[in-house]
């Protein structure tokens, strides 16, 4: 229990008279504090969870997107934070890899976006995200965030085809062999 101690002496008419200290019990104040604290905690609004907005295409119609091959960057996230990428819609060149580290995929997005804005008359930059079966959900969401940060306004997800899977498998094996 909390109490206030006051020890004072008063001189009254030449004789010294001791005044007994008054006892103030602060226990009800502590109880009141906990009641107020619990009231405000329980009545306050908790932050509502935010949902990632995804626009899903209508799959019944055939895809007739007219994309220039130099305006597209295909990104294939894999396990352990590896991101494989190549320019264009279909695999014709070298499969490169990067990660989410500083100067990784965000730098590649910005460089490709700048190159398209400087040289292409179409001025449309597309990113195709093709996550593998080993890819975790965190990497896919991180790629969406990187697209938003880099200013990529047109991106969509697709499933990797057989050539993409074979290229990633070969790249992973070559990376493991190089170590």
């Amino acid at each position: 229990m909390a109490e206030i101690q006051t020890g004072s002496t008063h001189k009254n008419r030449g004789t010294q008279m001791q005044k007994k200290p008054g006892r103030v019990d602060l226990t009800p104040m502590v109880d009141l504090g906990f009641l107020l604290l619990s009231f405000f905690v329980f009545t306050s609004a908790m932050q509502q969870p935010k949902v990632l907005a995804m626009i899903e295409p209508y799959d019944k119609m055939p895809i007739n997107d007219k994309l220039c091959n130099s305006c597209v960057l295909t990104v294939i996230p894999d396990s352990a934070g590896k991101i494989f990428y190549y320019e264009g819609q279909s695999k014709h060149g070298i499969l490169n890899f990067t990660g989410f580290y500083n100067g990784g995929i965000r730098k590649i997005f910005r460089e490709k976006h700048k190159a398209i804005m400087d040289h292409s008359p179409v001025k449309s930059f597309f990113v195709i995200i093709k996550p593998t079966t080993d890819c975790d959900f965190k990497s896919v969401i991180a790629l969406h965030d990187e697209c938003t940060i880099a200013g990529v306004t047109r991106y969509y997800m697709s499933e990797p085809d057989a050539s993409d899977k074979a290229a990633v498998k070969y790249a992973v094996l070559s990376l493991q062999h190089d170590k």
Side-chain angles (χ1 to χ4, degrees), residues 12-28:
N12 194 3
R13 294 187 201 149
T15 61
Q16 202 172 31
M17 200 170 122
Q18 288 193 351
K19 186 176 181 184
K20 291 189 175 185
R23 182 173 179 258
V24 177
D25 189 13
L26 297 177
T27 306

Side-chain angles (χ1 to χ4, degrees), residues 75-90:
V75 179
I76 306 170
D78 194 18
S79 61
K82 292 186 196 90
I83 302 171
F84 298 96
Y85 65 95
Y86 57 88
E87 293 189 21
Q89 296 179 50
S90 60

Side-chain angles (χ1 to χ4, degrees), residues 8-178:
S8 64
T9 58
H10 294 283
K11 289 187 177 183
N12 194 3
R13 294 187 201 149
T15 61
Q16 202 172 31
M17 200 170 122
Q18 288 193 351
K19 186 176 181 184
K20 291 189 175 185
R23 182 173 179 258
V24 177
D25 189 13
L26 297 177
T27 306
M29 284 299 245
V30 173
D31 292 342
L32 180 66
F34 280 116
L35 281 173
L36 285 173
L37 179 67
S38 60
F39 172 77
F40 286 117
V41 166
F42 291 134
T43 58
S44 65
M46 299 294 176
Q47 183 178 3
Q48 299 296 324
K50 296 179 182 175
V51 179
L52 176 68
M54 288 187 71
I55 300 170
E56 297 180 7
Y58 183 66
D59 290 339
K60 306 292 184 217
M61 298 183 65
I63 299 172
N64 293 325
D65 291 341
K66 302 290 186 199
L67 303 176
C68 67
N69 212 22
S70 63
C71 299
V72 176
L73 185 71
T74 303
V75 179
I76 306 170
D78 194 18
S79 61
K82 292 186 196 90
I83 302 171
F84 298 96
Y85 65 95
Y86 57 88
E87 293 189 21
Q89 296 179 50
S90 60
K91 176 78 177 94
H92 294 295
I94 299 172
L95 189 67
N96 301 311
F97 77 95
T98 187
F100 291 108
Y101 51 84
N102 191 13
I105 194 69
R106 186 181 307 172
K107 181 180 176 187
I108 293 164
F109 283 162
R110 286 186 175 162
E111 288 174 356
K112 180 73 175 173
H113 189 62
K114 184 178 181 331
I116 290 171
M117 291 299 152
D118 291 344
H119 302 294
S120 176
V122 177
K123 299 200 184 297
S124 294
F125 176 46
F126 294 90
V127 174
I128 301 173
I129 302 171
K130 296 182 175 184
T132 62
T133 55
D134 297 335
C135 179
D136 57 348
F137 189 68
K138 180 181 175 183
S139 297
V140 174
I141 297 301
L143 269 173
H144 280 276
D145 291 342
E146 292 294 332
C147 286
T148 304
I149 291 168
V152 179
T153 56
R154 296 182 176 148
Y155 56 92
Y156 64 91
M157 290 182 61
S158 177
E159 292 184 19
D161 54 4
S163 65
D164 290 331
K165 291 177 185 178
V168 168
K169 186 176 180 181
Y170 177 74
V172 168
L173 288 175
S174 65
L175 285 174
Q176 290 174 349
H177 186 293
D178 290 343

